[in-house]
């Protein structure tokens, strides 16, 4: 079974894209005059010391006009309570949750068991388009052995985020967390207009999947 978890299109008009791949850490930076995108195609941490890891593989953050738009949940505390558990979860990050499970098994305050490893990273730079593709194997521990693959297309007119899941699974949710300063106007069920705090606007379209809004949280600092 192959299925798309979603396809998100952000129209924010990046221009003159520049790509930086931080190979040792595993992150990719896409930048233009007005837009910055940070892609997490990294292991969750070193195998010998992964205690600070979040289950955040293939997540990203998106800023435009020097304002944050899509953000991961952040870290506000340590310990073993519900907040710590929620902030380390896959659902607290801009990535895909399959069958309600975390992509890496994070538990207690600083424990990690079976974890996701990024695979098949591919970066292609063309004159008017940058494409970054990566997959991870964190969900292969599930019975259907699903593989999540994400593609980012960064162009002059849009950032397109496409998710594909190969394998058997019951359900999948792609999370996109908005910064609290962003306000939302609904055009229709699958099109939204995001109003930034300084007056600029970003158009968001869902081209595959079904969108649904729910409350979230953001921790800007410890």
């Amino acid at each position: 079974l192959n299925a798309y978890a979603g396809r998100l299109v952000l129209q924010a008009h990046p221009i003159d894209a520049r790509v930086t791949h931080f190979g040792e850490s595993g992150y990719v930076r896409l930048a233009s005059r007005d837009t910055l995108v940070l892609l997490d195609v990294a292991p969750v941490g070193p195998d010998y010391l992964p205690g600070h890891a979040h289950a955040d593989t293939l997540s990203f953050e998106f800023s435009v006009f020097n304002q944050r738009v899509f953000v991961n949940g952040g870290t506000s505390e340590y310990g073993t309570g519900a907040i710590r558990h929620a902030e380390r979860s896959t659902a607290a990050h801009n990535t895909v949750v399959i069958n309600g499970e975390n992509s890496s098994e994070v538990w207690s305050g600083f424990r990690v068991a079976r974890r996701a490893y990024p695979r098949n990273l591919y970066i292609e730079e063309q004159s008017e388009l940058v494409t970054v593709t990566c997959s991870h194997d964190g969900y292969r521990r599930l019975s259907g052995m699903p593989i999540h693959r994400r593609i980012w297309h960064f162009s002059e007119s849009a950032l397109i985020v496409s998710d594909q899941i190969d394998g058997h699974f019951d359900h999948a949710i792609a999370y996109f967390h908005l910064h609290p300063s962003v306000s939302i106007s609904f055009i229709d069920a699958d099109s939204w207009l995001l109003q930034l705090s300084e007056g600029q606007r970003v158009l968001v379209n869902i081209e595959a999947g079904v969108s649904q809004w729910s409350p979230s949280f953001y921790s800007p600092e410890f």
Side-chain angles (χ1 to χ4, degrees), residues 79-134:
T80 59
I83 293 177
R84 172 70 169 160
H85 177 74
E87 290 180 342
R88 298 182 78 198
S89 71
T90 303
H93 301 83
N94 297 317
T95 187
V96 172
V97 175
I98 298 178
N99 291 357
E101 299 284 344
N102 289 325
S103 57
S104 293
E105 292 181 310
V106 291
W107 55 283
S108 188
F110 295 92
R111 295 289 185 265
V112 183
R114 291 172 290 184
R115 64 210 65 171
Y117 288 95
R119 307 290 187 188
N120 304 314
L121 174 63
Y122 175 73
I123 302 173
E124 181 181 13
E125 297 183 59
Q126 300 176 349
S127 59
E128 298 180 355
L129 180 70
V130 176
T131 300
V132 181
T133 303
C134 194

Side-chain angles (χ1 to χ4, degrees), residues 159-174:
L159 172 69
I160 302 175
V161 184
S162 300
D163 292 300
Q164 184 174 359
I165 302 170
D166 299 320
H168 293 278
F169 61 99
D170 294 328
H171 55 86
I173 300 175

Side-chain angles (χ1 to χ4, degrees), residues 27-183:
Y27 292 86
V28 173
R29 181 181 188 269
L30 307 177
S32 72
R33 183 184 63 188
D34 296 321
T35 307
L36 175 65
V37 187
L38 301 175
L39 312 182
D40 185 349
V41 291
V44 297
D47 285 339
Y48 59 86
L49 190 64
H52 287 271
H54 288 203
D56 57 359
T57 308
L58 303 190
S59 64
F60 75 101
E61 295 204 349
F62 174 87
S63 299
V64 66
F65 307 119
N66 292 317
Q67 299 167 78
R68 291 188 174 187
V69 179
F70 286 101
V71 293
N72 290 315
T75 300
S76 65
E77 65 175 45
Y78 291 153
T80 59
I83 293 177
R84 172 70 169 160
H85 177 74
E87 290 180 342
R88 298 182 78 198
S89 71
T90 303
H93 301 83
N94 297 317
T95 187
V96 172
V97 175
I98 298 178
N99 291 357
E101 299 284 344
N102 289 325
S103 57
S104 293
E105 292 181 310
V106 291
W107 55 283
S108 188
F110 295 92
R111 295 289 185 265
V112 183
R114 291 172 290 184
R115 64 210 65 171
Y117 288 95
R119 307 290 187 188
N120 304 314
L121 174 63
Y122 175 73
I123 302 173
E124 181 181 13
E125 297 183 59
Q126 300 176 349
S127 59
E128 298 180 355
L129 180 70
V130 176
T131 300
V132 181
T133 303
C134 194
S135 61
H136 76 79
D137 60 1
Y139 288 114
R140 282 182 62 84
R141 69 181 189 271
L142 304 182
S143 59
M145 302 180 67
I147 295 290
H148 173 211
R149 182 166 69 100
R150 171 163 275 184
I151 304 171
W152 294 270
H153 295 290
F154 189 64
S155 72
E156 183 177 352
S157 61
L159 172 69
I160 302 175
V161 184
S162 300
D163 292 300
Q164 184 174 359
I165 302 170
D166 299 320
H168 293 278
F169 61 99
D170 294 328
H171 55 86
I173 300 175
Y175 284 88
F176 300 97
H177 297 270
L178 286 171
H179 189 273
S181 65
V182 177
S183 60

Side-chain angles (χ1 to χ4, degrees), residues 64-65 67 194-202:
V64 66
F65 307 119
Q67 299 167 78
L194 306 182
Q195 185 81 30
L196 307 187
S197 60
E198 296 180 4
Q200 300 92 341
R201 296 182 296 178
V202 177

